Structure formats: C-alpha cells, structure tokens
Amino acid sequence: MRALKLHELSLADRLADRAVDALIDEADLSPKPALVDRRGNGAHSDLHLGLMHASALSLWPMFKEMAEAALDIGEVGLPLREALGRIGREGEQAMLATTQGVNTHRGAIWALGLLTAAAALEPRAVTLTAAKLALLNDRYAPQPMSHGAQVAQRYGARGAREEAQLGFPSVIQRGLPQLHKSRRANAGEQNARLDALLAIMTDLADTCVLYRAGTQGLAAMQQGAQAVLGAGGSATLAGRRQLHELDLQLLALNASPGGAADLLAACLFIDRLDGAL
Ligand SMILES: CC(C)(COP(=O)(O)OP(=O)(O)OC[C@H]1O[C@@H](n2cnc3c(N)ncnc32)[C@H](O)[C@@H]1O)[C@@H](O)C(=O)NCCC(=O)NCCS
Ligand SMILES: Nc1ncnc2c1ncn2[C@@H]1O[C@H](COP(=O)(O)OP(=O)(O)OP(=O)(O)O)[C@@H](O)[C@H]1O
C-alpha cells in the first residue's frame, strides 16, 4: 500500500490539525497559573488534562468543517458568518457530549474557529479577516445569560467577542511578540510559551476571572503576570518564584484565566501558520 503523503492532506485537514495541536499544546504547557495542566486541575474542580485532550480531539471535525465552509463560500459575509455560527454550535454540542456537559473549550471554539476560517480564506491577513467575521451579526445566535454576558452587564467588559472584533490585540500585541522575544533570549520553548501566556494576562479583561473573582481577581492576575515578566520571565529563578506566588494567589481567589489560555492557543495557532501549511 502506498503511504499517504503530507501534501495529499487537504488545506482544511491541515488547518484542523493545527487548531487541535494548538489546543493540546496549550493544555500540556506547565506550570500554568490556576489552569489545567500536567500537574493537575488548577482552579477547576470539574476539569482534568485527559478531558481537555478528549475535548480538543472532539473538535477536529468542527475545525475542518469551518475551513471547508470558508473555502466553499469564498468571501467574508453573512452567509459564512452564519455557517460558522451553526458549525460552532454543533461543535459545542460535540464537546459537551465528550465531556458530559463540562465547558472545556467554549472560548477556544470561538477564537480558533474564526481564525481557522480566516486562515483558509485569507492566509496573509488572518486576524483582520477573523475580525471582519466577528463583527457580523449571526441572526441565529442564541442570546443566553452566559457568564460573559453577566460580566458585561456588571463590569462593562465585552470579553471574547470584543477581543475577536478588534483583531485579537492580546495575541498580536502581547502574546506573539513575547513568544518571539523569549525564544530569541534562548528561554526554551516551554518557557517562551509560558511567557507568552503571562504577557497576554498582563492586559486582558478575562471574563472567566471577572466572573469568578471580580476586579480583585483581575488585578491580581494582571499584576502578578507583570511581576513574573518583570523578574526576568519563566526561565529565570526569580521569575519562577513569582510564577509560583501567582499560582497560589489565583488558586486562593479561584481565579482561573481561561480566556488567556484560549488566547495562548490562538497565539500558538498563528505562530504555526508562519511555517509551511
Ligand atoms: C462569543 C462567545 C465566545 C460567547 O461569549 P460570552 O462572553 O457570552 O460567553 P462565555 O461566558 O461562555 O465566555 C466565553 C469564553 O471566552 C473566553 N474569554 C474570556 N474572556 C476573554 C477575553 N477577554 N478575550 C478572549 N476570550 C475570552 C473564556 O474562555 C470563556 O470561557 C461564543 O462562544 C458564542 O457566541 N457562542 C454561541 C455559539 C456560537 O455561535 N458559536 C459559533 C462560534 S464561530
Ligand atoms: N488549560 C486550561 N485550563 C482551564 N481552563 C481553560 C484551559 N484552556 C482553556 N480554558 C478555558 O477556560 C474556560 C473554563 O472556564 P470556566 O470554568 O470559568 O467556565 P465556565 O464553565 O463558564 O464556568 P464555571 O466553571 O465557573 O462554571 C473554558 O471555556 C476554556 O475555554
């Protein structure tokens, strides 16, 4: 039998691979403050690493379908936006079936779904294209009182929707530059990824943290992340001490930065697009 060559995989196959790889790499990265990682479940009593992996794998057909919809429809507009909304909602159901009802990747479906479709459509303007899609209003989207919606009412933070509509500033202006900077400083790949996560955390209005721990939790997350980077980052002894402090502090506040984790996955996805697809 002839071996399947890599180039025989379709573009949609390869994009789905990259999206799932980004989610697995995010989950495996350790030690992440108060998040699920190789060490344990962080501030999430209902999550564990195996569940994050199973959830990520369950989303592969969804990402593929999103890329195919982008290629079939061929342009940014309401038909593609509403196709992505439908596929995303079905993906969310697949995720919930796999996890028996636990929300493992809701924010990631949104961010990586838009980016996967955008990468299929406009590989040279991925975040801009994702932003254009996010700005369109899906007429069929339900309007549930999600945690994000409650936080928006209470604190005015517009969360995952706004981050995408602005073209993922946390990824473009914080995560990716820090990833490259730490790589250049020979921090090692895992430390560079931790530093990218921390850079995202310094400035993000993470609605997971706001919902669970209010503005006190958000300030602890942002200042603590800044303190790690200020001490030299994850690759240094001083930085590691600060990171350990941040982990303890966020655990005490039950403040898990799930939005920042999703955006790290988005960051790793975009970083990989720069290689050959
Ligand atoms: C826009 C979404 C994210 C809903 O947002 P909302 O804030 O109302 O919901 P929720 O509280 O469930 O939070 C979503 C997730 O976003 C992540 N997040 C939190 N803060 C941020 C932030 N500042 N930036 C980016 N992501 C964030 C978190 O992981 C969180 O779990 C999206 O899930 C959605 O519209 N879902 C409906 C189904 C759908 O149409 N899907 C189609 C996807 S293309
Ligand atoms: N490694 C990770 N560990 C924990 N959360 C993560 C990780 N990676 C991504 N996340 C994101 O964090 C979110 C989980 O946050 P959270 O548990 O606050 O959601 P919830 O189910 O809406 O709230 P709650 O658990 O308070 O009822 C997931 O939607 C997921 O997108």
Side-chain angles (χ1 to χ4, degrees):
M1 211 177 77
R2 204 163 55 92
L4 186 70
K5 292 200 193 114
L6 193 62
H7 68 256
E8 291 177 41
L9 295 174
S10 71
L11 176 62
D13 282 325
R14 283 175 279 149
L15 285 170
D17 282 351
R18 303 253 162 141
V20 172
D21 284 350
L23 290 178
I24 303 259
D25 286 349
E26 179 274 307
D28 284 349
L29 182 66
S30 307
K32 294 190 299 289
L35 289 159
V36 178
D37 64 13
R38 286 181 184 279
R39 297 171 305 158
N41 58 1
H44 297 268
S45 56
D46 53 356
L47 297 179
H48 59 84
L49 188 60
L51 200 63
M52 300 302 289
H53 282 185
S55 169
L57 292 171
S58 79
L59 296 175
W60 193 90
M62 179 203 73
F63 288 125
K64 178 172 175 173
E65 213 187 315
M66 285 183 169
E68 283 174 343
L71 293 168
D72 287 349
I73 295 172
E75 61 182 10
V76 173
L78 209 51
L80 178 56
R81 173 66 187 91
E82 291 181 344
L84 295 175
R86 177 185 56 75
I87 299 164
R89 287 189 290 277
E90 286 167 11
E92 211 168 285
Q93 291 312 310
M95 168 192 89
L96 293 173
T98 304
T99 64
Q100 295 177 316
V102 180
N103 168 24
T104 37
H105 282 123
R106 182 152 206 250
I109 291 173
W110 167 251
L112 282 177
L114 290 167
L115 291 169
T116 300
L121 209 56
E122 292 285 349
R124 275 173 298 201
V126 176
T127 49
L128 181 68
T129 305
K132 287 182 185 164
L133 285 166
L135 281 163
L136 294 166
N137 197 21
D138 175 0
R139 287 168 298 173
Y140 305 102
Q143 311 275 333
M145 249 305 138
S146 62
H147 291 170
Q150 293 172 53
V151 161
Q153 257 183 13
R154 197 154 166 208
Y155 304 103
R158 291 191 51 247
R161 198 169 278 112
E162 180 176 64
E163 176 70 18
Q165 290 174 343
L166 294 175
F168 296 95
S170 301
V171 176
I172 298 300
Q173 290 165 26
R174 307 272 167 190
L176 279 171
Q178 184 66 56
L179 183 69
H180 296 147
K181 189 176 168 197
S182 294
R183 279 181 185 156
R184 277 197 307 274
N186 293 322
E189 183 61 19
Q190 299 304 306
N191 289 323
R193 291 177 185 178
L194 283 172
D195 288 349
L197 173 67
L198 291 158
I200 292 167
M201 287 164 60
T202 59
D203 203 34
L204 189 72
D206 191 320
T207 61
C208 290
V209 172
L210 279 170
Y211 181 80
R212 287 161 158 252
T215 50
Q216 188 200 357
L218 193 70
M221 173 189 87
Q222 294 181 346
Q223 288 161 15
Q226 189 60 60
V228 184
L229 293 174
S234 313
T236 67
L237 187 57
R240 278 283 161 158
R241 288 205 175 111
Q242 292 289 341
L243 182 57
H244 182 60
E245 283 304 313
L246 177 61
D247 190 30
L248 295 178
Q249 203 184 0
L250 294 187
L251 286 174
L253 292 165
N254 191 34
S256 166
D262 293 333
L263 293 171
L264 174 67
C267 187
L268 298 176
F269 176 78
I270 292 172
D271 178 55
R272 286 211 178 91
L273 290 181
D274 291 342
L277 249 181

